[in-house]
Amino acid sequence: MSILEEIKEAVASYKPAKVKELCDRALDQGIDANVIVREGLIAGMSVVGVKFKNGDVFVPEVLIAAKATHAGMDSLKSVLASSAEEPVGTVLIGTVKDDLHDIGKNLVAMMLEGAGFKVYNIGINASPEKFVKAIEEYNPDIVCLSSLITSTLHWLGETIRVIREAYPGKPLKIMVGGAPVTQELADEIGADGYGKDAQEAVERALSILNIA
Amino acid sequence: MLKTVIFSPSGKEVIIGHGMPTVIIGERINPTGRKAFAEKLIKGDLSLVQEEALKQVRAGADALDVNVGAAQVDEINMLAAAVDLVSRTVDAPLCIDSSKPEALEAALRVYRGKALVNSVTAEEHSLSRVLPLVKEYRAAVIGLCMDEDGIPGEPGERLKIAQKLVERAEKEGIPAEDIVIDCLAMTVSSDQQSALTTLETMRLVRDELGVNITLGASNVSFGLPDRKIINMAFFALALQAGLNCPIMDPTAPGLRRLIKATDLLLGRDQWAMSYIGDVRGYPEE
């Protein structure tokens, strides 16, 4: 098995320490850091992502796999910064105001990173104003809004309205998601995309930017 | 220890108290995560509400939670209509559940019993809007252990929020016996200590404040396989820690029986009458 295969395997079998060690070794062997990310870490994470979508693995396993990916990224960070390959796109993600749900949104963030996006995660209970400010700071291609309870669903539409008002004419795509969100609601409030689960969110984000 | 008494329009009482048999509040009148249910509500069709009311009371619910919140549902009119329909369908007190104070008010106005309002938080906008309604309609209320800063990760801090809820309610003229605290359960899939935090908070709330305790417990197993078994284990632990009126699915196989068995083991079921009655009443389970 090649070392890249080994990294992929170690991510998919949830071994943060081993992933870090293998990434160090891969760098020593002179493998390009971007290749390690793509063919090792991201490849491993997408194995887990597909299994998760199919119901074969569960939330704690996705979280530990993500931790393994991050452990590998730590090793590669300094090298990556100097040889930065362009991300496929930039995403700003957060859970809307009054909503404290973190996990689903973080899963989507990790899977997007896994697919090659640069992701800025502004956390939970984020007001429309907080999104507007973060857009100025990070200039994302896509903004992802999460709502996990019916009582905060109205903040999806409100946040979209405030963002559109703050940036009229800006070619900014907005996606929404979360358990109570439906395609019908997404259409009604003028969202550009909706994913019913994390994997679908990634697919939608890629298609929205005409990448896949 | 304080006793919370709620009753149906006909006067049928349900008493919640520590050391007493657990009160089962049925959670199934709720469109969250149930597309067909939400679609009917959008069209103003309450047939599933009625169906779920009957099914849950038959399955042993002592009281029923009524929630009609979903995207595109006119909650203000639908909650009042649902509360009215359920109270004409079954004789059980209701837990009126909405995050919209206007919807709570509309439903409280039509309800002739003593309801449990679900819920108020320790956030100022919630306290100032919901507590006056609870007072005006002589209801009881569920207080959630969260405030402007979210949900504290430490049991002592969560207890402080419960304390604040009780104090503010008393200031509004609502007695402590009409406050039921929800210590909030989060999933153990992302933090394996989170159930312990909830259990420890419940112990503190019971011992320090003496108020009654509810919990939406099924959250605890989110993201994990065979959730039912995690929920059951958690219920047994939570009942010992002070939970005495869980909001749960009485139709889930084995769950109601588990509650009865735990009550018996915790000395809350004299001569095992409730447990034996449950086995006789539901021999097929």
Side-chain angles (χ1 to χ4, degrees):
Chain A
M1 201 182 339
S2 77
I3 190 145
L4 293 173
E5 281 284 318
E6 276 188 76
I7 293 171
K8 174 179 162 187
E9 182 65 33
V11 168
S13 57
Y14 328 126
K15 297 190 176 70
K18 189 169 179 199
V19 170
K20 188 168 169 37
E21 185 202 314
L22 288 168
C23 284
D24 286 336
R25 215 190 308 154
L27 281 178
D28 288 344
Q29 290 180 14
I31 302 175
D32 182 76
N34 291 301
V35 174
I36 301 175
V37 171
R38 217 169 36 231
E39 292 172 30
L41 300 176
I42 293 180
M45 201 61 208
S46 68
V47 169
V48 177
V50 170
K51 283 188 184 167
F52 181 61
K53 186 182 178 178
N54 294 335
D56 295 330
V57 305
F58 302 96
V59 169
E61 297 174 290
V62 180
L63 295 177
I64 185 83
K67 203 174 163 186
T69 305
H70 282 283
M73 290 300 273
D74 274 347
S75 286
L76 307 176
K77 230 173 6 202
S78 54
V79 190
L80 281 172
S82 53
S83 75
E85 196 168 278
E86 282 293 300
V88 300
T90 303
V91 174
L92 176 72
I93 189 168
T95 304
V96 295
K97 190 166 156 55
D98 296 336
D99 198 321
L100 306 174
H101 289 86
D102 217 4
I103 305 169
K105 181 255 308 162
N106 288 348
L107 284 177
V108 173
M110 289 166 193
M111 307 266 282
L112 285 167
E113 279 178 352
F117 285 92
K118 175 77 196 149
V119 178
Y120 295 98
N121 188 338
I122 59 168
I124 54 176
N125 191 17
S127 64
E129 295 70 32
K130 189 168 175 184
F131 275 101
V132 166
K133 238 183 110 202
I135 290 168
E136 192 187 326
E137 195 174 341
Y138 302 119
N139 192 29
D141 303 302
I142 302 175
V143 178
C144 294
L145 310 177
S146 167
S147 160
L148 256 293
I149 32 176
T150 52
S151 57
T152 64
L153 277 176
H154 67 280
W155 283 115
L156 292 175
E158 180 63 13
T159 306
I160 291 177
R161 194 184 62 74
V162 173
I163 291 174
R164 294 284 186 223
E165 245 175 57
Y167 300 100
K170 190 179 169 75
L172 182 67
K173 301 293 185 187
I174 303 181
M175 291 180 42
V176 295
V181 183
T182 59
Q183 182 67 56
E184 290 75 26
L185 179 74
D187 294 341
E188 187 187 305
I189 61 180
D192 301 299
Y194 157 75
K196 75 168 170 14
D197 54 41
Q199 189 64 34
E200 204 178 291
V202 171
E203 288 159 14
R204 192 77 190 101
L206 290 167
S207 71
I208 244 177
L209 298 181
N210 300 316
I211 297 164
Chain B
M1 292 291 176
L2 299 159
K3 286 192 170 61
T4 307
V5 182
I6 52 177
F7 51 81
S8 71
S10 79
K12 184 174 177 187
E13 281 186 354
V14 165
I15 303 170
I16 305 161
H18 291 293
M20 296 175 62
T22 300
V23 168
I24 294 173
I25 304 175
E27 70 180 6
R28 295 180 54 89
I29 303 177
N30 192 324
T32 304
R34 293 163 74 185
K35 210 169 171 197
F37 202 139
E39 275 165 7
K40 287 201 169 189
L41 289 173
I42 292 168
K43 286 186 245 152
D45 177 352
L46 290 170
S47 57
L48 271 179
V49 169
Q50 193 164 28
E51 200 176 291
E52 288 293 357
L54 284 165
K55 195 154 78 177
Q56 291 184 98
V57 169
R58 269 190 222 122
D62 301 300
L64 295 178
D65 188 89
V66 181
N67 180 315
V68 294
Q72 298 156 303
V73 171
D74 169 12
E75 217 182 321
I76 297 174
N77 285 313
M78 291 310 280
L79 186 63
V83 160
D84 182 54
L85 178 63
V86 173
S87 52
R88 284 186 288 112
T89 304
V90 291
D91 191 16
L94 302 185
C95 182
I96 300 178
D97 185 357
S98 173
S99 56
K100 295 195 173 78
E102 305 77 31
L104 290 175
E105 182 163 24
L108 283 165
R109 203 177 295 138
V110 301
Y111 190 56
R112 301 280 164 241
K114 180 177 175 185
L116 183 57
V117 170
N118 189 3
S119 55
V120 67
T121 73
E123 295 162 290
E124 197 49 48
H125 69 85
S126 177
L127 291 167
S128 63
R129 191 73 179 85
V130 177
L131 291 181
L133 292 175
V134 174
K135 166 77 177 154
E136 184 182 347
Y137 293 96
R138 296 166 193 267
V141 64
I142 294 173
L144 307 184
C145 288
M146 58 184 282
D147 62 13
E148 279 85 358
D149 298 323
I151 305 166
E154 204 271 313
E157 295 300 311
R158 245 183 250 189
L159 169 69
K160 277 190 199 154
I161 297 184
Q163 238 153 359
K164 178 180 167 186
L165 284 161
V166 172
E167 280 162 18
R168 276 295 294 270
E170 284 185 319
K171 212 181 273 175
E172 289 278 344
I174 303 162
E177 68 238 35
D178 282 336
I179 314 299
V180 176
I181 294 294
D182 185 335
C183 297
L184 300 173
M186 264 95 77
T187 175
V188 289
S189 46
S190 59
D191 172 9
Q192 287 74 51
Q193 302 301 310
S194 70
L196 265 182
T197 302
T198 306
L199 293 168
E200 184 53 27
T201 307
M202 290 196 286
R203 268 182 213 105
L204 289 171
V205 167
R206 177 191 57 197
D207 296 345
E208 304 283 322
L209 305 176
V211 295
N212 291 311
I213 298 176
T214 186
L215 194 67
S218 46
N219 228 353
V220 81
S221 58
F222 174 82
L224 289 161
D226 202 358
R227 295 183 64 175
K228 189 186 82 190
I229 212 81
I230 300 175
N231 292 346
M232 287 174 114
F234 187 54
F235 266 116
L237 294 166
L239 292 177
Q240 185 175 27
L243 172 64
N244 56 19
C245 53
I247 299 182
M248 53 170 262
D249 182 358
T251 70
L255 193 51
R256 187 202 59 254
R257 182 74 47 84
L258 173 112
I259 302 273
K260 304 292 177 189
T262 309
D263 274 353
L264 171 60
L265 296 173
L266 291 173
R268 298 169 186 174
D269 181 8
Q270 222 179 357
W271 303 111
M273 283 296 111
S274 173
Y275 179 79
I276 295 170
D278 195 79
V279 178
R280 285 212 183 96
Y282 303 91
E284 73 287 357
E285 278 179 30

